[in-house]
Amino acid sequence: MIYHLLRLFLKLFSFIPWRLMYVMSDGLYYIVYYVAGYRRKIVRRNLVESFPMKSEQEIKRIEKKFYHFFVDMIFESCKLAFMSQREMKQRMKFINVEEVNAMIRQGRSNAIYLGHYGNWEWVSSMPLWLDKRMTGAQIYHKLSNKHMDRLMLGIRERMGAACVEMHKTARYVTELMAEHKVCVIGFIADQSPRKKDSRHFLHFLNHNTPVLTGTEKIIKHYGFEAWYLDVRRVKRGYYEAEFVRLHEMPHALPDFELTAIYYQMLEKCIKEHPELYLWSHKRFRHAEKL
């Protein structure tokens, strides 16, 4: 019952014109930021620690721009539930996709690194741009609320990419390889590992940060090609995502080097447009400030 009510809400929401939606987003921003103060302490601490050279005024400016974008993205994600493939391709464009498709035609599988940067929910439309002979998937964390989890799974899989729970990743990839399927899998790889799993650390945004290395292990074990997805916000409701090859021979790199390259590229993007990163999550809870 709850699931169907949520679906109905999203269906009704889909009829709201984009311009009106962003007017609503501007109104909700004031409630979220000024009235509710949603996670403002976490956001402020993350920004201050990540950009120690910026003034208080600069930090506040980034903070406000982040909350504006954060609310926009929530509304844009709601739109994804019933957006047509044609409109999705107009609003989320992928660049340099020809190189990835060339790899697919050669029978080579690909791993796509991305972060909680830009509209990562709309990245699920990637299969619309890829050669149809590939199998598309995205790795995700299962939500604790079963109704929201079911809803989000349906939204994220609408454009042709299967959702795979993180702890099932190795089994899923192994089965694909056993069936000789060419795949393209997206990994949001900037998530914070549990404290007991924090074994490897990298310098990231002025922190000595524990990082997940599972994506690198899969790439090396199965001989995947490695890409970084550089997401850019063109304007409200429009994005570009460019495939950037991380290394021509990722399997030949020393351990953890590929992960380090990914974090360097992600940090560069964040420093250019810090408001597009998800500052409201506890990314540095097990990290040490430098």
Side-chain angles (χ1 to χ4, degrees):
M1 180 65 177
I2 296 176
Y3 167 77
H4 293 294
L5 287 173
L6 290 170
R7 287 277 298 177
L8 176 61
F9 167 78
L10 291 179
K11 181 65 175 178
L12 295 173
F13 188 88
S14 68
F15 291 111
I16 299 174
W18 287 90
R19 185 172 296 181
L20 176 57
M21 186 193 80
Y22 285 120
V23 171
M24 295 167 58
S25 179
D26 289 339
L28 185 58
Y29 154 74
Y30 282 97
I31 296 174
V32 171
Y33 183 72
Y34 289 105
V35 180
Y38 174 73
R39 295 199 169 192
R40 278 186 62 176
K41 289 183 179 179
I42 295 173
V43 172
R44 178 63 63 87
R45 181 173 67 249
N46 283 341
L47 287 172
V48 169
E49 292 183 356
S50 297
F51 302 110
M53 302 303 292
K54 291 187 180 296
S55 67
E56 182 179 356
Q57 185 178 10
E58 289 175 304
I59 293 295
K60 286 183 178 180
R61 188 181 305 118
I62 295 170
E63 183 179 82
K64 291 179 180 180
K65 291 176 71 174
F66 160 70
Y67 276 96
H68 265 295
F69 171 70
F70 179 70
V71 178
D72 276 1
M73 186 183 158
I74 292 173
F75 281 6
E76 291 169 358
S77 298
C78 290
K79 279 282 193 180
L80 178 59
F82 290 95
M83 198 187 307
S84 69
Q85 292 186 358
R86 180 180 179 182
E87 185 174 19
M88 187 77 258
K89 289 192 72 174
Q90 292 173 342
R91 291 182 172 275
M92 185 76 188
K93 295 185 177 182
F94 288 83
I95 301 172
N96 198 30
V97 69
E98 298 83 5
E99 285 197 36
V100 181
N101 281 329
M103 299 292 182
I104 294 171
R105 288 190 287 270
Q106 293 171 28
R108 296 153 75 177
S109 291
N110 300 264
I112 315 296
Y113 278 97
L114 59 148
H116 287 92
Y117 179 85
N119 193 326
W120 60 88
E121 294 292 354
W122 280 15
V123 171
S124 64
S125 65
M126 189 189 303
L128 300 179
W129 297 78
L130 297 177
D131 192 291
K132 301 308 177 186
R133 71 195 75 188
M134 68 88 206
T135 298
Q138 51 195 322
I139 309 305
Y140 85 108
H141 272 299
K142 187 174 182 178
L143 301 178
S144 57
N145 184 297
K146 64 178 182 180
H147 304 294
M148 285 301 298
D149 185 66
R150 181 183 175 188
L151 185 73
M152 291 306 299
L153 277 177
I155 293 173
R156 289 167 174 167
E157 293 185 337
R158 284 192 67 238
M159 302 296 171
C163 286
V164 181
E165 289 185 58
M166 181 174 284
H167 71 278
K168 297 180 180 178
T169 304
R171 181 189 303 174
Y172 178 79
V173 176
T174 300
E175 290 174 354
L176 288 180
M177 296 300 98
E179 296 170 4
H180 304 289
K181 291 184 177 180
V182 179
C183 61
V184 177
I185 303 179
F187 298 82
I188 299 183
D190 64 334
Q191 303 193 50
S192 179
R194 295 174 298 180
K195 191 171 184 179
K196 65 178 182 178
D197 297 325
S198 300
R199 299 187 180 90
H200 186 66
F201 290 73
L202 289 173
H203 288 182
F204 175 61
L205 292 173
N206 199 46
H207 291 82
N208 191 33
T209 310
V211 298
L212 295 171
T213 58
T215 303
E216 176 179 326
K217 292 176 182 177
I218 288 173
I219 289 170
K220 289 186 171 184
H221 184 77
Y222 293 103
F224 280 22
E225 299 299 325
W227 304 83
Y228 173 70
L229 195 65
D230 183 359
V231 180
R232 298 185 287 270
R233 194 188 200 197
V234 179
K235 60 181 180 179
R236 271 183 148 178
Y238 291 88
Y239 298 84
E240 291 179 347
E242 181 178 1
F243 292 98
V244 181
R245 201 170 183 187
L246 288 176
H247 198 273
E248 296 208 357
M249 297 183 65
H251 61 278
L253 291 172
D255 287 347
F256 311 124
E257 183 66 24
L258 188 64
T259 303
I261 294 172
Y262 156 66
Y263 268 98
Q264 289 165 10
M265 297 193 75
L266 177 60
E267 182 171 304
K268 180 177 180 293
C269 291
I270 293 170
K271 287 182 175 179
E272 289 175 354
H273 295 283
E275 71 277 6
L276 300 183
Y277 194 56
L278 185 62
W279 297 106
S280 57
H281 69 327
K282 297 180 180 179
R283 179 63 188 87
F284 305 110
R285 57 188 167 183
H286 303 314
E288 298 176 358
K289 186 174 63 172
L290 298 177

